[in-house]
Amino acid sequence: MDRHLTVKELPESEKPYEKCLQYGTERLSDAELLAVIIRTGTAGKRSIDLAQEILSVREKNLLNLHRLSLKELMEIPGIGTVKAVQLKCLAEITKRMAKATRIRSVALNSAWSVASYYMEELRHEDREKLMLCMFDSKSILIGEEIISIGTVNASLVSPREIFIRALSNQAVCIILLHNHPSGFPLPSVQDKLVTRKIQECGELLGVHLSDHIIIGDNQYFSFKEENLLL
């Protein structure tokens, strides 16, 4: 019967570690990169076989690291708790790296810069998250907080909670962000009601709502850019 070669039995040019040392990480395939993280295989499967199985489901690419839950990863034969946790931590690292590279470019008057900063953090979420971004008098981002998780609904979002947090951080301006798990960022009637409700409360308290940005899948919608703010 045919059998797979183990990583040790592969030619030097095909071993992920050796290939990386000789040619650099950019020459490794997605499966080879994952195989380096997974490190060891299981009975009858090499680490690269496990990597290919992870890549073959749902999204058919590396986005599976974000989209698959711990439970779903562990349902793949050969992926136990430790490997699943390692892979989810890797996915989280990629989100934080994407965010860290953009922080200096975040500008209060640029919806694109704000949307880009939060894109990787929010576009993979399977539930809506409403986030409050706070800016000082110099338009510098001074803090962020998650206000709610679930459907963004005008009857559920509490202006009191938003402005308690904004005032405690001495914010002068705020931006609301939330994601649409569908991937399409066009605002709903509820989104418009939430925006107007928060904007009106902010004007009374002297905290200006500069924008409400909806994050989709690599796209966004800005109330400010679309002239939908009062």
Side-chain angles (χ1 to χ4, degrees), residues 154-220:
S155 64
L156 299 178
V157 174
S158 168
R160 181 175 182 273
E161 183 68 20
I162 288 173
F163 290 106
I164 284 176
R165 299 190 192 192
L167 292 169
S168 66
N169 283 277
Q170 299 183 320
V172 174
C173 299
I174 60 173
I175 289 178
L176 293 178
L177 281 108
H178 82 276
N179 62 299
H180 280 180
S182 67
F184 300 103
L186 290 178
S188 65
V189 172
Q190 290 294 340
D191 294 335
K192 294 176 182 178
L193 289 174
V194 166
T195 305
R196 176 162 294 189
K197 183 178 179 181
I198 300 305
Q199 187 176 22
E200 290 174 348
C201 291
E203 294 307 316
L204 291 173
L205 293 169
V207 180
H208 179 62
L209 176 65
S210 294
D211 204 349
H212 183 177
I213 298 171
I214 303 172
I215 300 293
D217 190 6
N218 271 331
Q219 53 186 323
Y220 73 91

Side-chain angles (χ1 to χ4, degrees), residues 106 108 114 133-137 139-142 171-173 175:
V106 175
L108 180 64
V114 177
C133 305
M134 296 165 280
F135 296 80
D136 64 13
S137 58
S139 299
I140 295 173
L141 181 64
I142 56 175
V172 174
C173 299
I175 289 178

Side-chain angles (χ1 to χ4, degrees), residues 71 97 104 117 127 135 149 152 164 175 184 202 226:
K71 182 177 181 294
M97 286 177 65
R104 292 182 181 178
Y117 182 59
R127 290 188 295 170
F135 296 80
I149 298 176
V152 175
I164 284 176
I175 289 178
F184 300 103
E226 300 298 327

Side-chain angles (χ1 to χ4, degrees), residues 121-154:
E121 180 176 355
L122 292 175
R123 77 184 184 98
H124 301 294
E125 295 290 338
D126 57 7
R127 290 188 295 170
E128 288 190 11
K129 281 188 177 181
L130 178 64
M131 182 173 288
L132 169 67
C133 305
M134 296 165 280
F135 296 80
D136 64 13
S137 58
K138 296 181 180 179
S139 299
I140 295 173
L141 181 64
I142 56 175
E144 61 183 45
E145 294 199 36
I146 294 173
I147 299 298
S148 67
I149 298 176
T151 302
V152 175
N153 187 301

Side-chain angles (χ1 to χ4, degrees), residues 105-116:
S105 65
V106 175
L108 180 64
N109 61 354
S110 169
W112 177 86
S113 71
V114 177
S116 296

